[in-house]
Amino acid sequence: MLKESMPKMERHLFHSVLLILILLTLVSLNLTGLAWTIPDCIIADSLLFPNLSSYIPFCTLAPRLHLLASCSNVKNINQTLEKVPRNTEVLCLQGMVPTLPANAFDGFYSLQLLRLQLGTTNITSRTFQGLDQLQYLFFEHHAPCCLSLFLPPDSLESLRSLSSLSFQGYCLTYSHSIYLPTTLRHLTMRNSCLTKLQELQRLFPDLLLGASSTPNTKPRTPFLEVLDLSYNLQLKQAGIRDLYGLTLHSLILDGTPLRALDLTSSGLLHLHFLSLVGTGIEKLPASVTGFSELCALDLGKNQIQNILGNGDILGLKALKFLSLHDNHLQSLPVRFLRTLPQLQKLNLSMNKLGPILELPEGLFSTNLTVLDLSHNQLCEIPRGNFSFLSQLQELWLSGNNISSLSNESLQGLRWLRTLDLSWNQIKVLKPGWLSHLPALTTLNLLGTYLEHISGTQLQGPKMLRHLQLGSFPTLEIYRLWFPMLLSLEIQAETYIQFMVPSGEPFLFLENLTLETSNLLLEPKTTTIHFPSLRRLTLRGYSIFLSTSQLQSFFPPQLPLLEYFFVWCRNDDAVDLHLFEMPRLRVLELGNLNFFYESSTVKLEMLLNEVPQLQVLALSHLNLKNLSVSSFKGLQSLKLLLLNSERALEMNSNLQELIPQIPQYVYFSDVTFACQCETSWLESWATRAPNTFVYGLEKPICMANASDYSKTLLFSFLATNCPHGTEFWGFLTSFSLLLLLIILPLISCHKWSWLHHLWTLFHTCWWKLGGHRLRGQFNYDVFISYCEEDQDWVLEELVPVLEKAPPEGEGLRLCLPARDFGIGNDRMESMIASMGKSRAILCVLTGQALASPWCNLELRLATYHLIARPGTTCLLLLFLEPLDRQKLHSYHRLSRWLQKEDYFDLSQGKMEWNTFCEQLKQRLRKARKERED
Ligand SMILES: *[C@@H]1O[C@H](CO)[C@@H](O)[C@H](O)[C@H]1NC(C)=O
Ligand SMILES: *[C@@H]1O[C@H](CO)[C@@H](O)[C@H](O)[C@H]1NC(C)=O
Ligand SMILES: *[C@@H]1O[C@H](CO)[C@@H](O)[C@H](O)[C@H]1NC(C)=O
Ligand SMILES: *[C@@H]1O[C@H](CO)[C@@H](O)[C@H](O)[C@H]1NC(C)=O
Ligand SMILES: *[C@@H]1O[C@H](CO)[C@@H](O)[C@H](O)[C@H]1NC(C)=O
Ligand SMILES: *[C@@H]1O[C@H](CO)[C@@H](O)[C@H](O)[C@H]1NC(C)=O
């Protein structure tokens, strides 16, 4: 249309302008657009690697949200947000921002959680405009209390999905009549300066509709479920009546000085959950009414010594959950407990109920399913103590002083599923002690003093799924035979010895954690199979635990293993060339120091075994040196974390990997070697295409291991390495490449090339944007040659490759002169055909290099190779002796090409047959690579 309607000259003008625009866009795209490293920000996908937060601090997450951005030292919000990925689900901002302007979060349509720690901030009515998906909004300020925050009445109006709103350490003194979205379920004003509950009414009139004297004005259904007013240290009892009409499920008043049990008089009759943790309560009042609907009451961390219950005076008839955790109870409040007919869950941990606890019959309701008696200095469990708790499903007895258990201790717990006896003084487990627990699925015996344990000792439960065993300092395990076990954790400081009969005791085991220095197996000839193992964690592993120990313990292949975590003890050298793990996704290695002699080689060997690896976290490995060879095979790597490394050398050859470098790279507590080799790092860190890099804002470098001068790497580079422009050269090469393509064409003096260029740019641009064409390959080989060499190509080369096997290879070739349809645009066809070919073979002669078309083809091929690593293979065939240095971008090419990618047929350097054989082999390999 354009072509027809425009006069020729104007069209040229139009094209020129278009061209300039495209070039500008491309240049800016290359130099800034693809970079998303942001100073002071952490970008993460916590789904990829949930344990990332153990290495790198980032803000809390809500369940199910995994794309997060967390920025600190924020001063200018627009500047910070400019580069934060727009699809982020969680955004945490910490800094000093006096004003959050209107539409501050424009474009963040996926944002679901926003946490602001921005000091004293002015919010406007339209600050949160457009955040339709936002569910959680947190304003936080940590001590000292409190900062002032002003919220215009309508500032939250646009938040149509908001379900949780929280103010912590802020006073809303000057705000009033704040509109709350009807989706709101959870409102928190923690550590604020509320003194009276009436203030809530002023702030959020919507909340207390029932209190309104004119109930007919705009009726809105009560919506709030949880109101959290904890740590309002000045909150007074007065005005509690004003909460009348507030319909809530839960009220949290932790750490307030309210004598809150009198709250009942306020008419909060429908309260389901009341939390009064740490309010200094010493006694429960003798008589309260109005709690008839209360289901859950948390009185943890108070000073309750006794509860005087007399009949049903407390009126907690409906109570299902009661926590008296961390109080001063010395005996069970028997009479009180007897008044709770519905009680299902009782938490009495961290009191002083020991040393002997007798549970009188009829003490608990028959509904009790969870009983927590941990940390109570219990020494003994009288026989039959739990015999009337037949409904009990969970019994927590951790951290007591129990030394022995027999079958009579646990009699009657017919439905018990979880038993936690960890960190007691258990020295003896009498045979058959579990015989009365047929329903047990989870047993925790960490921190015992058992030296051996045998499978027969754990007989009784028919469905044990999760088992934890631990002892000081050694543990011998005999005939543990639980084919149904899903998770197993064993700890013993010095060694764990397994005595396994032949067979497969862990047929379904998915999670295995071993924490010990030594792992022994008896008899030595057995191998334990773990056909279902998905997560393997080895901690505390030492030099004594050699590879051979591990190799004899585990089978040569762990076919389903997805997650492997190894953390050694200090200074222990272990070779981890272990087993095949074809499905491994996450590998975490810590403290191995096993790289002390030839680090890269070992890392390389290890990484060879894990083709599917997505996450690699290396901690404290004493790596010394990272180079390209270690990472070459890791095509699926998405996250690389380096933690606690000293004087790390980052070889400049790593640049070759740049297009395939993982999406997330984190350096935490890493110092680099002071050397110019590293000079590419700076430009890469700030402009890495498609990679988020964290931890290279102010890297330190060390001249040697004992250099603690804290030299800044980048200042070292600036003063000592004047030619730090290598990376720039690389980065701009895409643009330059394209510019250079134009030059031979300009000599054509034809305007029609502009149209070609447009097509070319369009294609390249599209691909740069990451839209990869993963479609089928129509051809095996695209052959690029110049007209002068056509005879040789058609008569010698093509027959060898095209002829059907066994003489030939039966390859599908694409030859421009033959296969481009007549009348088709040559440039367009070339781009398309190259994209659809598994390999590109360039036939190079002096004539070819002199021809603009051949040069262009070579450049395009180079572009394909670099921009789409792993999808294209470029082969160079020299028919004549050529000075390779003359080859355009030879230096770069030499990085990307391997020796087997060059074929030199000039001056009889290679036998024709050898050449054919090698070429076929190389093409077969390429085909295989593309197909995998
Ligand atoms: C996560 O990493 C830390 C080391 O920083 C380690 O102690 C912890 O056990 C790991 N968590 C899991 C679940 O492996
Ligand atoms: C917030 O806004 C008010 C009124 O617009 C202004 O007086 C005050 O100085 C502002 N505060 C800050 C920190 O900018
Ligand atoms: C008992 O309360 C403590 C403190 O809140 C908590 O850590 C523990 O998990 C609770 N026990 C159970 C069984 O929920
Ligand atoms: C735990 O029991 C041991 C004896 O088994 C005793 O020596 C120790 O004092 C007890 N500790 C407590 C806190 O009761
Ligand atoms: C408990 O174990 C002892 C000794 O093994 C046995 O004699 C007794 O019958 C068992 N008691 C019950 C109730 O199973
Ligand atoms: C294995 O461990 C992971 C991570 O701790 C956990 O999410 C999963 O539920 C465990 N699986 C089993 C069967 O215990």
Side-chain angles (χ1 to χ4, degrees), residues 133-205:
Q133 305 281 319
L134 198 73
Q135 293 180 31
Y136 308 86
L137 178 58
F138 302 142
F139 296 90
E140 275 178 32
H141 172 72
H142 297 287
C145 173
C146 305
L147 291 183
S148 147
L149 181 73
F150 175 74
L151 273 190
D154 52 353
S155 52
L156 307 177
E157 217 159 320
S158 57
L159 301 175
R160 274 184 268 143
S161 308
L162 195 69
S163 80
S164 189
L165 175 64
S166 167
F167 303 92
Q168 226 183 100
Y170 278 108
C171 292
L172 297 175
T173 319
Y174 303 106
S175 311
H176 62 90
S177 309
I178 299 168
Y179 168 91
L180 294 177
T182 47
T183 46
L184 197 72
R185 295 289 171 270
H186 201 129
L187 177 63
T188 302
M189 289 195 70
R190 236 172 125 90
N191 192 18
S192 172
C193 39
L194 283 185
T195 55
K196 287 182 279 179
L197 290 168
Q198 279 111 314
E199 288 168 42
L200 281 179
Q201 199 172 5
R202 175 179 59 81
L203 287 172
F204 311 108

Side-chain angles (χ1 to χ4, degrees), residues 466 486-487 510-511 535:
H466 309 280
L486 296 181
S487 74
E510 286 178 14
N511 289 0
R535 298 176 71 92

Side-chain angles (χ1 to χ4, degrees), residues 51 54-55 535 537 539 563 565 567 588 619 643:
N51 204 15
S54 319
Y55 299 96
R535 298 176 71 92
T537 306
R539 276 201 208 97
Y563 171 92
F565 175 89
W567 194 276
E588 270 184 272
S619 228
N643 178 47

Side-chain angles (χ1 to χ4, degrees), residues 401-405 421-429 433 445 447-450:
N401 211 0
I402 299 165
S403 56
S404 128
L405 284 159
L421 285 164
S422 57
W423 312 104
N424 276 287
Q425 309 278 327
I426 296 174
K427 296 182 187 77
V428 190
L429 292 174
W433 70 288
L445 285 173
T448 69
Y449 288 83
L450 297 165

Side-chain angles (χ1 to χ4, degrees), residues 745-765:
L745 290 165
I746 282 180
S747 60
C748 303
H749 297 295
K750 281 193 211 138
W751 279 104
S752 63
W753 60 268
L754 270 171
H755 173 67
H756 299 152
L757 262 183
W758 164 241
T759 322
L760 172 65
F761 284 133
H762 183 80
T763 317
C764 294
W765 191 4

Side-chain angles (χ1 to χ4, degrees), residues 471-623:
S471 177
F472 312 94
T474 65
L475 189 59
E476 289 172 16
I477 295 167
Y478 299 91
R479 297 178 170 272
L480 196 59
W481 187 266
F482 287 108
M484 305 304 278
L485 219 53
L486 296 181
S487 74
L488 175 63
E489 175 171 354
I490 307 180
Q491 299 180 0
E493 198 166 326
T494 314
Y495 70 82
I496 299 172
Q497 176 158 11
F498 273 84
M499 319 263 194
V500 198
S502 57
E504 300 195 333
F506 301 114
L507 214 51
F508 295 108
L509 196 69
E510 286 178 14
N511 289 0
L512 176 62
T513 301
L514 297 171
E515 187 162 342
T516 186
S517 304
N518 280 283
L519 192 56
L520 307 172
L521 187 62
E522 275 299 325
K524 291 197 169 57
T525 48
T526 45
T527 312
I528 311 182
H529 289 276
F530 296 95
S532 311
L533 202 63
R534 283 167 204 280
R535 298 176 71 92
L536 176 58
T537 306
L538 301 174
R539 276 201 208 97
Y541 199 69
S542 86
I543 190 161
F544 305 108
L545 180 50
S546 63
T547 312
S548 59
Q549 264 186 22
L550 273 191
Q551 271 175 345
S552 63
F553 189 85
F554 289 100
Q557 203 201 44
L558 294 172
L560 298 185
L561 200 70
E562 286 176 22
Y563 171 92
F564 188 18
F565 175 89
V566 188
W567 194 276
C568 278
R569 297 196 334 201
N570 254 333
D571 299 331
D572 295 333
V574 185
D575 186 349
L576 257 186
H577 187 59
L578 289 178
F579 7 80
E580 271 178 68
M581 300 171 278
R583 296 271 281 272
L584 200 72
R585 267 189 329 106
V586 181
L587 178 61
E588 270 184 272
L589 303 176
N591 234 349
L592 298 187
N593 204 15
F594 71 106
F595 297 116
Y596 66 125
E597 13 168 67
S598 68
S599 57
T600 8
V601 176
K602 289 192 173 179
L603 187 60
E604 213 176 303
M605 271 160 60
L606 181 65
L607 297 182
N608 257 339
E609 313 271 315
V610 289
Q612 301 285 322
L613 202 68
Q614 291 184 6
V615 174
L616 178 61
L618 305 173
S619 228
H620 250 293
L621 294 194
N622 203 4
L623 273 174

